Amino acid sequence: MPYTRFVTDRVARPFLYAEDVPRLQDFTAECIRAVGFRSYMHPGDVAHRIAGGLKNEVRGETVRVWEDELGIAAWVLVSPNHQGFDLQVRPDLRSTVVGGVEREALTWAEARTVELLTERGSAATEMIADAFEDDEVRIALLEDTGWQRGTEPYVITLRSLDVIPEEAAVGYTVRAVKGPEEADAVGELHAASFGSSWLPGQYARYMSAPGYAPERELVATSAAGDLCGFTVTWHDHVNGIGLFEPVGVHPDHRRKGLGRLLLAEGMHRMRAAGLTHGMVAYEGSNPASGALYRGIGFAPTWTMWDYTKPIG
């Protein structure tokens, strides 16, 4: 349904996990359809960031939803671990106007971020938000409320799935995750790949979360059966876009072509599912990831920039 009119009568409410994840995924897909491929989130990001990024949080305290008579108007996900938040607004409501939902949601996100960081005794001195480099509305709103552009770009890449390279890595194969019986092993692989932490049982909960499907998580295995690399793929059938988020390789198995192997297999599976494009993003401070994605045909398409604001 195209969005065509401005609605000012709205309410803000707490997040309801099981009910809201699919609704927010549908909302995000409709936002993408309304403005083209560019979006602050892919429907897969919705599930991934809520289930994984907030795995140690009370989600009802960090996610907020605004609704009007047309449905979801905006939503915010506050991530204390990243000192910031994600903010998605329905395209017909994009505005810097005082009283508008974008300004209201930004104000709530700022206050909640500061509150949570303060409660936890964080040493953080600033908050982080982001804006596409040509998003005049978001940039104007951030600058009007005291934010300044930082130095960290975030690059979103895109490629067609018409022609997909065949990749091989000697001694390795790719398959889908078997299911919950592999949850702890996959969680350990994620943690080793990114230097993060998944406690026993946490990845099993992630695998049972709304939006996740084990057949869409791929693992590269050695001849001995060890899990050596992985990627989670997410499908947006409204817009035909498949997302890789995240992509990781165990430190002991890097520089052996596993990243390319996983991406190629993921793209083949996306195309078989009826998708037309693949998408993956990387931080500008990680040139190795950029080289990997460009090397297999992903073209840098959009750039977002960090914006920062002092806390206190």
Side-chain angles (χ1 to χ4, degrees):
M1 176 181 72
Y3 301 119
T4 57
R5 62 193 183 94
F6 190 90
V7 180
T8 57
D9 186 18
R10 62 176 181 272
V11 296
R13 63 166 177 82
F15 171 72
L16 304 172
Y17 193 13
E19 297 92 332
D20 277 337
V21 168
R23 293 186 66 222
L24 291 172
Q25 289 184 296
D26 291 344
F27 168 74
T28 300
E30 290 297 334
C31 290
I32 293 171
R33 181 161 67 174
V35 302
F37 281 1
R38 191 190 77 171
S39 174
Y40 282 98
M41 280 181 276
H42 179 280
D45 286 318
V46 174
H48 173 62
R49 295 180 190 182
I50 291 173
L54 299 180
K55 63 181 182 291
N56 296 318
E57 303 292 336
V58 178
R59 296 176 179 91
E61 297 178 355
T62 58
V63 181
R64 190 88 167 161
V65 180
W66 283 257
E67 294 180 314
D68 61 22
E69 64 186 50
L70 295 183
I72 296 173
W75 73 287
V76 168
L77 181 155
V78 173
S79 177
N81 189 47
H82 293 96
Q83 300 172 217
F85 51 87
D86 294 299
L87 168 60
Q88 183 96 23
V89 180
R90 204 172 68 213
D92 66 308
L93 299 177
R94 300 293 316 281
S95 170
T96 63
V97 65
V98 174
V101 68
E102 190 151 359
R103 186 179 288 266
E104 180 181 333
L106 175 63
T107 300
W108 184 89
E110 288 185 22
R112 191 65 181 132
T113 300
V114 172
E115 184 178 23
L116 289 171
L117 291 174
T118 301
E119 285 177 359
R120 295 165 194 201
S122 172
T125 59
E126 61 185 17
M127 295 178 284
I128 302 171
D130 52 40
F132 281 102
E133 62 182 359
D134 60 349
D135 185 346
E136 295 179 358
V137 171
R138 182 66 54 86
I139 291 170
L141 184 55
L142 289 170
E143 292 180 345
D144 186 51
T145 52
W147 292 77
Q148 294 184 331
R149 197 175 98 167
T151 59
E152 180 68 27
Y154 187 71
V155 182
I156 301 174
T157 72
L158 190 71
R159 64 154 290 166
S160 167
L161 299 179
D162 287 345
V163 179
I164 302 169
E166 299 296 333
E167 297 289 334
V170 177
Y172 298 92
T173 57
V174 174
R175 62 168 173 81
V177 167
K178 294 177 182 177
E181 64 269 28
E182 287 194 303
D184 283 346
V186 175
E188 291 174 3
L189 174 60
H190 281 234
S193 300
F194 291 110
S196 58
S197 174
W198 285 85
L199 300 175
Q202 275 190 327
Y203 206 80
R205 290 191 289 276
Y206 177 78
M207 293 175 75
S208 66
Y212 175 90
E215 65 270 17
R216 289 193 274 103
E217 177 158 14
L218 306 180
V219 288
T221 63
S222 68
D226 297 325
L227 304 185
C228 306
F230 75 96
T231 186
V232 186
T233 62
W234 308 89
H235 295 180
D236 173 4
H237 288 284
V238 172
N239 299 289
I241 310 169
L243 172 71
F244 292 92
E245 175 57 33
V247 182
V249 176
H250 191 287
D252 293 343
H253 298 272
R254 290 174 181 164
R255 301 188 182 278
K256 297 181 180 181
L258 297 192
R260 292 177 66 98
L261 183 67
L262 287 159
L263 290 165
E265 178 62 22
M267 286 190 284
H268 281 293
R269 295 185 183 218
M270 288 174 180
R271 186 171 65 185
L275 303 181
T276 60
H277 288 80
M279 176 182 289
V280 65
Y282 66 93
E283 294 178 350
S285 59
N286 188 349
S289 291
L292 166 64
Y293 302 138
R294 289 192 302 273
I296 200 167
F298 286 88
T301 307
W302 301 288
T303 300
M304 290 195 296
W305 287 92
D306 276 350
Y307 278 72
T308 63
K309 184 175 183 177
I311 295 173

